[in-house]
Amino acid sequence: MNASPSFLRCLASFVYESILLFAILFVAGIFYRALLGDPQTDLQRHFFFMYCWLLVGAYFVYCGSKSGQTLAMKTWRIQLEGRQENRLDWRQAMKRYLFASFSLMFFGLGFAWRVFDREKLFLHDRLSGCRLVLTPKG
């Protein structure tokens, strides 16, 4: 069984992931505005938010089920796997993304959960049957 990454390593990966997602969403916003114009009404803004949320979800679900790592996770040597040390399928990765989204909406409480969890799992990892592990150097 591989060791869990430290909270600081997870935080560093989260910050790096945020920078990467900013760039992805910036480009996606340019395409959105070129095709559909500036979202000016409430309905258009909600549609744009859903478009961004689905785009980010596709990124996380694809990376989670394909290799278990995003670019930020590869950089910080963090791997996402199932509780039985197996690769996630797309359903499990999608559940993880949904639970993580709710966690962010509730002021990140699911992320703070890790501090009190005996296995050092984030709440969305516990609920979706996943865990983060350190990968070997090399």
Side-chain angles (χ1 to χ4, degrees):
M1 182 170 176
N2 294 335
S4 295
S6 70
F7 187 76
L8 287 176
R9 183 179 292 263
C10 290
L11 185 62
S13 178
F14 182 81
V15 170
Y16 185 22
E17 200 76 72
S18 299
I19 294 167
L20 294 172
L21 287 174
F22 176 80
I24 290 169
L25 291 175
F26 184 80
V27 172
I30 291 171
F31 283 121
Y32 182 92
R33 288 185 69 186
L35 294 173
L36 300 174
D38 189 23
Q40 295 178 1
T41 67
D42 284 342
L43 182 62
Q44 289 171 327
R45 281 193 285 275
H46 291 302
F47 183 72
F48 178 68
F49 174 79
M50 196 57 120
Y51 161 75
C52 292
W53 183 76
L54 289 171
L55 185 67
V56 170
Y59 168 74
F60 280 118
V61 169
Y62 175 78
C63 290
S65 61
K66 177 82 171 159
S67 66
Q69 291 180 303
T70 62
L71 180 59
M73 292 168 78
K74 286 179 186 177
T75 302
W76 287 97
R77 297 188 312 112
I78 299 173
Q79 176 89 31
L80 179 63
E81 62 182 29
R83 300 294 291 280
Q84 283 72 40
E85 300 183 24
N86 58 338
R87 184 172 289 170
L88 272 62
D89 64 7
W90 68 270
R91 287 180 196 92
Q92 201 172 12
M94 188 179 299
K95 271 203 284 189
R96 183 179 191 268
Y97 179 66
L98 290 172
F99 288 133
S101 296
F102 283 116
S103 176
L104 283 175
M105 287 191 306
F106 291 103
F107 311 104
L109 291 176
F111 291 90
W113 175 276
R114 185 182 192 276
V115 174
F116 305 105
D117 192 276
R118 59 183 157 71
E119 295 179 62
K120 296 183 180 177
L121 297 174
F122 294 107
L123 183 58
H124 51 273
D125 289 332
R126 180 160 297 286
L127 293 173
S128 60
C130 308
R131 66 191 184 117
L132 295 174
V133 295
L134 275 175
T135 60
K137 289 183 180 178

